[in-house]
Amino acid sequence: MENLVQAALANVNFSAIMPSLVLVCFGMALLLIGVFSRRGRTTHIAWISIIGLVITGIYTYIDWVNPETQFGFAGHVAQDNFAVFFNIIFIAAAGLTILISDDYLKREGYPISEYYALILFSTAGAMWMASGTDLMTIFLGLEVLSISLYVLAGMFRNDVRSNEAGLKYFLLGAFSTGFLLYGVALLYGVAGTTNVADIGMYLSAHKAALGNPMTIAGMVLLSTGFMFKIAIVPFHMWTPDVYQGAPTPITAFMSAGPKAAAIAAFLRILMFGLPELHAEWGAMLWLLAVLTMTVGNFIAISQTNIKRMLAYSSIAHAGYALVGLVAANEVGLSGILYYMLAYTFMNIGAFAVLILAGKQGEENLTLDGFAGFGYKRPFLGVALCVFLFSLMGLPPTAGFAGKFYVFAGAVKAGYIWLAIIGVLNSAVSLYYYLRVMVYMYFREPTEDYSWISMPVGAVISIVIALFGVLYLGLLPDCVMEMAKMSIF
Amino acid sequence: MITINHYLVLSAVLFSLGTFGVLTRKNAIVIFMCIELMLNAVNLSFISLSSHLGNMDGQIFVFFVMTVAAAEAAVGLALMIAFFRNRESIAVDDFSLLKW
């Protein structure tokens, strides 16, 4: 009996999930601290969650320095460089989001302490998705992430838009989970295992199984589930509504962290589990990447609400990331990792400025609301310009380097047309990003923006995001080397 | 003689019924029930495949699916209550504020 316990513990190896373990412990502690705190006091909770993220970051750094891959839970999780790189993205996304949240929540009248615990839980779920090597772990990570996000999207209980966003996200999220699970069940039926690498080995050893309709159906259903989460056209319907209705910091978080997590798990499954079917999923993703970029960018043009415009732009950016996945070579895949990190900084940065520009109850999100903003608020104006330049993909910002690597990967793999369509799409996106700047600098100000205060957290967050965008844009080599070491 | 194929076909039929229900029904709770039907159809697939392959992974997966479905139900019903308090309805036709 004792031997059994020892053998089980040796298999578990908690050090493989140390970063997420720290987050979960902090999350549960925060729930308790929230109970014993005075109502409406959440500032200390925000800072404690930041401390938790810093400790998680330290453990992630230790994992990065340690060259050996840590396996845990009988091979269900692997803390390899790939997982560690994505952990860095999740920590950055969660940290920046928490920094911009505190003041916003107080302003809108929802100082809820559970908010921070839920962000930590969803970050832990994202980490399990990135490090999961078994479809079971990936599924559990996905659900921990999603269920926390359903609640976060519907956090503003008395705001009908937030209710609607939460409920829509929940119904479509649960619906997509059904597809994902059915895909898992079919692949399990073919290969007799849920371990991603074992499925890949089975398929390469049994070529006959490749033609089995169950394999193809399993791949398509599994991909559908992930595409809902990444918001790939035609499974993007929920995205603009949910992004618009959810509390703005949560929108920022959703477009960065969870999207990166779904891409991470999808990438691992495709590269490890289904490399034999590369011709099939490559063709499918080629078409979807083109559709996603084009639909996202063209619908974004017609938006007058900036939050909704950024939602469509985030669909388009998911399309750019797919380009790297279609290429499936070293440059393309490391390009995705780089791009997701860059996107985290530029998108959350842009949302941080939007949040500061709003007043209580009425968020200032229309284009007209930004007339003359750049002159009245020079720092915020310049910051927003840098983030928008980065979203467009102009040098010397992070967005340019990210897009460059992704498209270079596509060209190298022979997908010239895909790269051309991607570049043309970037040109289309100039229009709607530049329009915001035109309003900011070339329209007469109708307001003096005197209501804008500069809370410490949000300013720190904007400065970090600015630093990230410029550093990744000016000196891409160091991080690109990291990304290259992180892919398989 | 009932073979693995019978179970898989039944599971596929149940899954399709669930999908059809999600796409056509108007009441959020009915839609949620259809989603549960889809999940349970998948569970049936897992169990029958597990027994057919003679390996336990599928059955363990089912436990996790059930746990997750319970957690989802708790959160989902809470969201529906919050929506109902404000709109006095949970028909999906009333999810109408967010449109372009």
Side-chain angles (χ1 to χ4, degrees):
Chain A
M1 189 65 200
E2 242 169 54
N3 285 339
L4 270 179
V5 173
Q6 273 172 0
L9 277 180
N11 258 333
V12 165
N13 186 14
F14 280 111
S15 60
I17 55 161
M18 209 53 198
S20 47
L21 214 56
V22 173
L23 279 185
V24 172
C25 291
F26 263 85
M28 289 193 282
L30 284 180
L31 287 177
L32 274 179
I33 295 170
V35 172
F36 292 109
S37 301
R38 283 244 307 278
R39 266 184 97 77
R41 291 273 183 89
T42 52
T43 309
H44 60 295
I45 292 182
W47 288 108
I48 294 172
S49 54
I50 291 289
I51 294 172
L53 282 169
V54 169
I55 296 176
T56 314
I58 294 170
Y59 275 107
T60 310
Y61 178 74
I62 294 171
D63 280 334
W64 177 261
V65 176
N66 176 11
E68 276 171 52
T69 301
Q70 300 254 20
F71 291 97
F73 294 86
H76 281 57
V77 291
Q79 192 74 347
D80 46 10
N81 281 349
F82 177 76
V84 175
F85 193 95
F86 271 101
N87 281 1
I88 296 170
I89 297 179
F90 305 144
I91 293 170
L96 293 175
T97 309
I98 289 171
L99 284 173
I100 54 180
S101 295
D102 188 47
D103 187 69
Y104 174 81
L105 291 179
K106 290 208 176 100
R107 189 177 84 199
E108 302 295 324
Y110 293 90
I112 304 167
S113 57
E114 286 83 358
Y115 176 94
Y116 300 99
L118 284 168
I119 288 191
L120 295 192
F121 289 144
S122 59
T123 310
M127 289 180 174
W128 293 326
M129 281 181 81
S131 60
T133 51
D134 192 289
L135 293 172
M136 211 181 290
T137 350
I138 292 174
F139 166 68
L140 284 178
L142 177 74
E143 285 304 311
V144 171
L145 169 74
S146 305
I147 292 178
S148 315
L149 280 179
Y150 302 149
V151 182
L152 285 170
M155 201 86 200
F156 289 2
R157 267 176 310 180
N158 299 322
D159 176 2
V160 189
R161 285 168 190 277
S162 177
N163 294 154
E164 201 178 305
L167 200 47
K168 264 184 187 163
Y169 192 27
F170 164 72
L171 285 176
L172 285 167
F175 186 49
S176 70
T177 304
F179 284 105
L180 182 106
L181 277 175
Y182 203 39
V184 173
L186 292 180
L187 286 179
Y188 168 67
V190 172
T193 171
T194 51
N195 189 302
V196 175
D198 288 350
I199 291 176
M201 282 199 297
Y202 180 89
L203 289 180
S204 63
H206 301 75
K207 299 284 183 199
L210 293 176
N212 188 338
M214 256 168 93
T215 319
I216 303 291
M219 180 196 82
V220 170
L221 286 166
L222 190 69
S223 310
T224 311
F226 278 112
M227 283 169 194
F228 259 107
K229 297 285 172 195
I230 311 175
I232 303 289
V233 176
F235 308 108
H236 68 291
M237 295 308 189
W238 57 274
T239 318
D241 293 355
V242 173
Y243 280 21
Q244 190 188 353
T248 314
I250 294 306
T251 311
F253 182 60
M254 277 197 291
S255 62
K259 188 171 274 193
I263 287 180
F266 196 34
L267 219 160
R268 196 189 281 270
I269 290 173
L270 291 181
M271 296 309 294
F272 266 122
L274 306 166
E276 298 289 327
L277 292 167
H278 179 247
E280 281 83 358
W281 58 255
M284 178 175 82
L285 292 181
W286 191 97
L287 183 68
L288 293 178
V290 171
L291 267 178
T292 307
M293 289 187 288
T294 316
V295 170
N297 277 322
F298 275 89
I299 302 186
I301 288 177
S302 63
Q303 303 303 321
T304 51
N305 180 313
I306 297 182
K307 207 170 163 188
R308 208 169 166 87
M309 180 201 92
L310 283 175
Y312 279 107
S313 106
S314 103
I315 294 175
H317 283 277
Y320 301 137
L322 268 198
V323 171
L325 194 49
V326 174
N329 54 9
E330 194 195 14
V331 183
L333 292 181
S334 48
I336 297 181
L337 269 60
Y338 190 92
Y339 199 76
M340 291 324 292
L341 185 63
Y343 186 66
T344 303
F345 286 121
M346 58 202 188
N347 207 39
I348 298 187
F351 273 112
V353 179
L354 285 193
I355 288 170
L356 286 183
K359 343 181 198 193
Q360 193 220 334
E362 55 170 308
E363 294 190 68
N364 182 19
L365 293 167
T366 54
L367 282 170
D368 290 326
F370 276 83
F373 182 75
Y375 292 114
K376 295 287 178 186
R377 289 278 157 181
F379 170 67
L380 291 180
V382 169
L384 187 56
C385 280
V386 172
F387 297 134
L388 290 175
F389 275 129
S390 183
L391 286 165
M392 286 177 215
L394 296 185
T397 54
F400 169 74
K403 263 184 202 160
F404 176 79
Y405 288 128
V406 169
F407 292 149
V411 171
K412 221 174 184 177
Y415 294 101
I416 311 276
W417 275 106
L418 189 59
I420 292 176
I421 295 171
V423 173
L424 287 178
N425 262 298
S426 302
V428 170
S429 75
L430 286 181
Y431 173 76
Y432 59 84
Y433 291 127
L434 274 177
R435 194 169 50 178
V436 178
M437 287 185 212
V438 169
Y439 273 83
M440 271 163 57
Y441 286 102
F442 297 105
R443 292 283 162 106
E444 283 302 307
T446 49
E447 311 257 13
D448 60 355
Y449 300 100
S450 55
W451 65 82
I452 297 180
S453 62
M454 300 286 263
V456 189
V459 173
I460 296 175
S461 165
I462 290 178
V463 170
I464 293 176
L466 271 178
F467 174 77
V469 166
L470 293 176
Y471 177 77
L472 287 174
L474 292 169
L475 303 163
D477 293 342
C478 170
V479 179
M480 192 58 194
E481 277 308 307
M482 280 176 72
K484 277 195 176 140
M485 281 160 67
S486 305
I487 52 165
F488 331 108
Chain B
M1 176 64 193
I2 296 176
T3 63
I4 173 85
N5 287 334
H6 291 87
Y7 287 109
L8 289 182
V9 168
L10 174 65
S11 153
V13 168
L14 285 175
F15 189 86
S16 315
L17 279 176
T19 313
F20 183 72
V22 171
L23 297 176
T24 52
R25 301 309 290 259
K26 297 287 172 215
N27 185 308
I29 287 187
V30 178
I31 291 179
F32 183 54
M33 283 158 65
C34 291
I35 292 172
E36 291 290 311
L37 184 64
M38 288 165 68
L39 294 184
N40 283 318
V42 174
N43 283 348
L44 182 63
S45 277
F46 267 123
I47 294 172
S48 50
L49 286 168
S50 172
S51 140
H52 174 72
L53 296 163
N55 111 10
M56 293 297 285
D57 289 5
Q59 301 200 26
I60 293 166
F61 215 119
V62 170
F63 278 112
F64 284 116
V65 174
M66 290 196 295
T67 321
V68 163
E72 254 177 7
V75 166
L77 293 175
L79 285 169
M80 285 181 209
I81 290 172
F83 186 77
F84 185 81
R85 282 209 175 123
N86 290 325
R87 294 294 297 268
E88 307 256 308
S89 152
I90 49 164
V92 283
D93 294 339
D94 290 327
F95 295 13
S96 52
L97 281 175
L98 301 167
K99 263 193 196 139
W100 67 290

